[in-house]
Amino acid sequence: MSERPTDFVESPSLDRDCTTLSRHILQQLQSYEGSAQDISAIMNRIALAGKLIARRLSRAGLVEGALGFTGEENVQGESVKRMDLYANDVFISVFKQSGLVCRLASEEMEKPYYIPENCPVGRYTLLYDPIDGSSNVDINLTVGAIFSLRQQEGDDLDHTAQDLLQNGRKQIAAGYILFGVSTMLVYSIGNGVHSFTLDPSLGEFILAEENIQIPQHGAIYSVNEGNFWQWDESIREYIRYMHRHDGYTARYSGALVGDLHRILMQGGVFLYPGTTKKPEGKLRLLYETAPLAWLVEQAGGKASTGTTPLLDVVPTYLHQRTPAIIGSVEDVELVESFIREGNRQE
Ligand code: AHM
Ligand code: MG
């Protein structure tokens, strides 16, 4: 006798609606050990931060004091936007009394934020860029948030956070939240890359795609060509090659998360090489390029500085920048081949 009620109708869409982020993470971890429970709880808190930021962004034009600059500069010498600060505080508030994370480090804070009462229970550090591409906020275009989770090593009693200065392979979890047409959360805990769409009516992130694989090659190259005359000749040669060959198309939104998301789904390459003004490029390693590199490699892609695997770079300070070439294997290798050729001729 069937155990199902006779009027039960299979509904794949209903099944999918029930695959929430928290359920998916627990399935991924396949363990009820303390550390698995911690990572699951941390991911759920990151999702909460994403929902809070998405809510604020969706009403930004209506809320007094949500848009525009604060008049201050961050540690990188960049003008701080009100949304940058709001989103930075959201992550702190979400984790402050969680007992899960004992340090938070972000683009907006010169030094990590310590939560001593969470240690030694929560020996994790969350690194994040609260609003990536913040120049897009005031014109109502896509922005993102990037996160990376690392295990704390040692006591860090002197609060120098030296243990964070390690390569990108030390990440335990990484991902981003894309505030676009809809809000998406894309994450990996070292077992494939999975995307979720926020259903505002449920307040839940619902599975969109599991085990995303980036195409081996794609048509898109994503770079700020306004920097052309500030690049090394090898990058200029690569761009000339793109211009002269069929089958390539440029896309650049000014928000790394949006550009990278497109490449993850459709293939291609994102690059932010060094410039004469900024030889290391613009993007920061620990909370921008390393998490995205880790994610793209998890999806079968590649990430490079041009000469070294991006995940091998060991920073010497928290806010260190790196040139970044991230995307489909063939397209990243094409850029690398131009750089190699340039170096050979020097
Ligand atoms: P931000 O985190 O301060 O917004 O800076 C990072 C952003 C990236 O999202 C984007 O790819 C890049 O800066 C754009 O820089 P540029 O205007 O130099 O092309
Ligand atoms: Mg950023």
Side-chain angles (χ1 to χ4, degrees):
M1 213 176 82
S2 166
E3 287 179 5
R4 287 176 176 172
T6 46
D7 58 352
F8 182 87
V9 182
E10 285 274 358
S11 169
S13 72
L14 196 55
D15 285 349
R16 210 205 52 190
D17 280 355
C18 291
T19 310
T20 59
L21 177 67
S22 35
R23 188 165 127 181
H24 191 264
I25 293 163
L26 285 175
Q27 281 167 358
Q28 284 277 305
L29 290 161
Q30 285 180 344
S31 154
Y32 292 96
E33 281 177 18
S35 61
Q37 300 280 354
D38 284 349
I39 290 171
S40 155
I42 289 168
M43 284 302 307
N44 284 321
R45 297 268 169 164
I46 292 170
L48 173 61
K51 289 181 219 173
L52 288 163
I53 297 167
R55 185 180 69 178
R56 178 83 165 189
L57 283 170
S58 69
R59 302 175 60 236
L62 304 170
V63 177
E64 194 72 22
L67 296 175
F69 293 96
T70 61
E72 282 156 23
E73 282 190 350
N74 67 13
V75 59
Q76 341 267 343
E78 298 157 343
S79 302
V80 175
K81 299 214 138 201
R82 292 193 173 101
M83 263 320 289
D84 288 328
L85 280 195
Y86 174 80
N88 192 57
D89 290 351
V90 163
F91 277 94
I92 293 174
S93 297
V94 154
F95 280 102
K96 222 178 345 195
Q97 267 129 32
S98 67
L100 293 163
V101 159
C102 53
R103 292 178 306 195
L104 293 127
S106 100
E107 178 174 331
E108 301 305 328
M109 300 185 288
E110 186 176 356
K111 295 196 170 127
Y113 182 99
Y114 284 80
I115 313 175
E117 56 274 27
N118 283 1
C119 296
V121 185
R123 298 187 66 81
Y124 294 98
T125 300
L126 185 78
L127 296 118
Y128 63 107
D129 180 359
I131 296 283
D132 172 65
S134 50
S135 71
N136 281 7
V137 170
D138 291 354
I139 46 165
N140 202 15
L141 290 183
T142 295
V143 290
I146 307 172
F147 60 87
S148 162
L149 189 69
R150 290 180 184 237
Q151 188 94 45
Q152 181 171 323
E153 290 180 15
D155 286 329
D156 190 19
L157 291 174
D158 53 0
H159 287 194
T160 53
Q162 287 297 307
D163 62 298
L164 289 177
L165 306 179
Q166 299 199 57
N167 71 44
R169 300 183 199 283
K170 290 275 182 177
Q171 294 172 101
I172 300 170
Y176 58 80
I177 303 161
L178 173 69
F179 305 102
V181 174
S182 58
T183 300
M184 289 198 93
L185 189 151
V186 180
Y187 87 100
S188 177
I189 46 175
N191 191 15
V193 177
H194 320 287
S195 66
F196 292 77
T197 306
L198 179 63
D199 181 332
S201 64
L202 294 173
E204 290 274 10
F205 281 101
I206 306 294
L207 181 66
E209 192 176 341
E210 214 169 13
N211 294 317
I212 296 171
Q213 286 292 306
I214 183 170
Q216 285 294 101
H217 161 68
I220 293 158
Y221 69 99
S222 186
V223 66
N224 185 347
E225 286 199 50
N227 291 333
F228 192 86
W229 292 109
Q230 291 192 50
W231 290 329
D232 190 78
E233 182 58 20
S234 59
I235 301 291
R236 291 203 285 261
E237 272 302 299
Y238 163 74
I239 293 297
R240 289 184 190 112
Y241 179 93
M242 293 287 106
H243 291 174
R244 286 180 192 136
H245 287 79
D246 272 349
Y248 293 105
T249 188
R251 292 284 185 274
Y252 193 75
S253 73
L256 168 63
V257 167
D259 290 327
L260 218 275
H261 184 70
R262 188 201 306 268
I263 285 162
L264 184 65
M265 305 314 290
Q266 300 177 346
V269 60
F270 174 93
L271 54 157
Y272 207 116
T275 61
T276 40
K277 280 190 207 146
K278 292 180 179 158
E280 298 302 313
K282 178 182 179 189
L283 303 173
R284 276 68 37 140
L285 177 68
L286 284 170
Y287 43 81
E288 287 181 325
T289 56
L292 296 177
W294 198 69
L295 207 68
V296 165
E297 289 208 356
Q298 279 287 319
K302 192 167 177 175
S304 166
T305 62
T307 50
T308 359
L310 211 152
L311 289 177
D312 286 346
V313 179
V314 178
T316 53
Y317 64 100
L318 183 62
H319 298 287
Q320 183 168 317
R321 300 170 198 257
T322 42
I325 300 153
I326 311 180
S328 299
V329 171
E330 287 177 20
D331 301 296
V332 171
E333 288 179 352
L334 181 64
V335 184
E336 285 180 319
S337 71
F338 277 88
I339 294 172
R340 232 183 353 261
E341 181 58 22
N343 289 344
R344 206 178 55 80
Q345 285 174 4
E346 270 175 12

